[in-house]
Amino acid sequence: MEGGSALPVATFPEPALARPASMTARLCTAAAFGALLAVGFALWGGASTVESWQRAARYTARFSFLLFLPVFAARSWNALSPSTLSRALLRQRRSLGLAFATAHTVHLAGLATFFAVKGTRPDPVTLVVGGGAYLTLYAMAATSTDAAVRRLGRNWRRLHTFGVYYLWFVFAFTYGTRTLERGLGYAPFLAAAIAALGLRLVSRRLRQPRAAAAR
Ligand code: HEM
């Protein structure tokens, strides 16, 4: 060592670079934040506690519907008209699905609070159909891993195909009845649900000859 002292040079360990939060973590955090913002907005404008929480149940479902649409339609959209956006949505479909589950959990908290402050219970049909949809949603979230895909095999595809259509049905049915009962303000939501289903059916129809030829 030239002209230098013989003291050993202290080497500090490289700072552990914080691994970037996974896309799933980022999307779930953003979804939770967005859903809580919807609750805040609902509570801010409500005329009474009951009405505020009813709005919170509505706005959180609306927000999670906007996350559900790309989960439901990404593959078909990409098959029919591939673009940078459709490819990105398809690549992040699992993270988007978990973000949807996060946002819809805020809907669950919002509706439970609504019924609690109102001092009533959901009607039995909503409880069975809506409750069944939540159980299915959490089964899909719990199996959104590569290990579960490998372990469950065909049952994984059966669960996730059944689940995504079951959730679609609850959204479409809710917006269909609201459009009939409460007016055209709900029609854009119903139209979006029908358009997303249309994308899936058309892309499946176009895939069939190719699948048959491959057999
Ligand atoms: C036990 C299960 C559930 C209960 C008790 C429940 C209850 C509620 C309540 C109280 C509202 C507000 C009602 C109002 O406007 O007066 C609401 C709105 C809504 N819920 Fe749920 N819900 C459940 C599950 C679900 C599920 C699983 C979905 C979708 C997959 C869903 C989608 C919606 C939609 C789309 C709205 C209307 C939002 C809007 O006004 O734009 N709900 N729900």
Side-chain angles (χ1 to χ4, degrees), residues 53-55 57-59 61-62 65 100 104 107-108 111 114-115 122 126-134 166-168 170-171 174-175 178 182 186 189:
W53 282 104
Q54 183 177 37
R55 283 157 48 100
R58 279 184 200 152
Y59 295 172
R62 245 170 244 180
F65 179 60
F100 163 68
H104 221 46
H107 177 57
L108 185 58
L111 69 92
F114 165 62
F115 286 109
T126 304
L127 213 50
V128 171
V129 176
Y134 268 107
Y166 184 0
L167 291 163
W168 177 88
V170 179
F171 278 119
T174 308
Y175 282 127
R178 270 159 206 255
R182 301 191 190 182
Y186 285 95
F189 298 100

Side-chain angles (χ1 to χ4, degrees), residues 29-188:
T29 309
F33 183 71
L36 291 172
L37 214 59
V39 171
F41 185 63
L43 298 184
W44 181 57
S48 69
T49 313
V50 170
E51 200 228 322
S52 296
W53 282 104
Q54 183 177 37
R55 283 157 48 100
R58 279 184 200 152
Y59 295 172
T60 49
R62 245 170 244 180
F63 176 73
S64 58
F65 179 60
L66 297 179
L67 284 173
F68 176 76
L69 285 174
V71 175
F72 186 72
R75 188 178 296 286
S76 319
W77 175 11
N78 192 57
L80 293 171
S81 161
S83 66
T84 313
L85 179 58
S86 71
R87 276 188 289 274
L89 288 176
L90 187 56
R91 235 186 353 265
Q92 301 305 338
R93 200 161 165 257
R94 180 183 284 173
S95 304
L96 277 169
L98 292 167
F100 163 68
T102 306
H104 221 46
T105 300
V106 180
H107 177 57
L108 185 58
L111 69 92
T113 311
F114 165 62
F115 286 109
V117 295
K118 200 172 165 216
T120 61
R121 287 190 182 177
D123 66 270
V125 176
T126 304
L127 213 50
V128 171
V129 176
Y134 268 107
L135 289 178
T136 309
L137 173 63
Y138 291 131
M140 293 164 76
T143 55
S144 291
T145 61
D146 294 342
V149 175
R150 280 192 300 275
R151 201 176 52 248
L152 297 174
R154 277 207 194 157
N155 289 330
W156 187 93
R157 180 164 291 285
R158 287 189 189 121
L159 168 65
H160 285 253
T161 305
F162 165 75
V164 90
Y165 277 109
Y166 184 0
L167 291 163
W168 177 88
F169 169 75
V170 179
F171 278 119
F173 182 80
T174 308
Y175 282 127
T177 47
R178 270 159 206 255
T179 304
L180 292 175
E181 290 163 8
R182 301 191 190 182
L184 291 179
Y186 285 95

